[in-house]
Amino acid sequence: VIRTDATFGTAQPDQGAIRALACEHLAPRLGPGRCVVTQGYIGATARGFTTTLGRGGSDYSASLFGAALAAEEVQIWTDVEGVLTSDPRVIAAARPIPELSFDEAAELAAFGAKVLHPATIQPAVEANVPVSVRHTMRPEGRFTWIRARRAADAARVAGASPVTALATRGPILVLTLTSTRMFHQSGYLARVFEVFGRLDVSVDLIATAEVSVSCTVEPDAPIDALVRELSRFAKVEVVTNRAIVAVVGSRMKETPGLVGRVFVALGDIAPELVSMGGNEINLSVVVPAEVAHEALRRLHACFFEGEAAT
């Protein structure tokens, strides 16, 4: 039923074909007291060759099935009571988030939250099927709903934190390109990102000034080739062993002074790069990897613990 292309290891699903196959093979077998049990992660091409969906493929399969069958809910069972306000291995006071928007969940997953992979919930997003994340060993415990949009009244509870959750990912590399030819020159950034595209390198964060641009990449990026190509038209500086700390929340853009609170909470931890996501629900900072966990603790204390959280 999980029909994909032939890219083994990171196969791309054909959602139209999956919908047709699910209606043909699964829907007739479903009903009161009846269920279908199947594996996740594994798919097949139209010619019957086995493929796999890659990291997060089992949850991704559940989301694909749920979207194809117009399910009332997709449940993801894991080892935590939903999506937490931060990594519980770092923040002992981290607690489950009752409800997330799809955009918030995707941002958290992309920036280090381990419960979900960004692609996992995308089919459910498009089909408007809610996802719940639950603890396998605590079926009656707390859990998180992930919906297309959080209920407006829930998002504006008096005294609620403007921040939904925190995440961190690292180590990452920071590349800074400096060139006077960037000043008032159209097409310069296109030239920069043509190099990234040609070398198949994904960029996470970006910040620009008049004669420089900084961006973050994963440590396994072909850094030597990047520097060689980019050095043709810019001076390139590479800084290693850095981490991204992401502050995520759909109410952030409605909260005056929030950026100031973030910087006050960080105290003597000085961000080396700051980026506000295009959707205005993610404020990310880059710090030395060795202080990333301390940055998380300070931010969590500010927004979720004690009187400071209100």
Side-chain angles (χ1 to χ4, degrees), residues 96 107 120 129 152 162 165 200-201 231 279-280:
E107 292 287 333
T120 296
V129 176
D200 195 26
V201 177
S231 294
N279 53 15
E280 298 186 44

Side-chain angles (χ1 to χ4, degrees), residues 284-302:
S284 292
V285 298
V286 173
V287 299
E290 62 268 20
V291 299
H293 286 178
E294 177 59 24
L296 271 186
R297 294 185 190 100
R298 295 181 185 186
L299 290 168
H300 198 274
C302 174

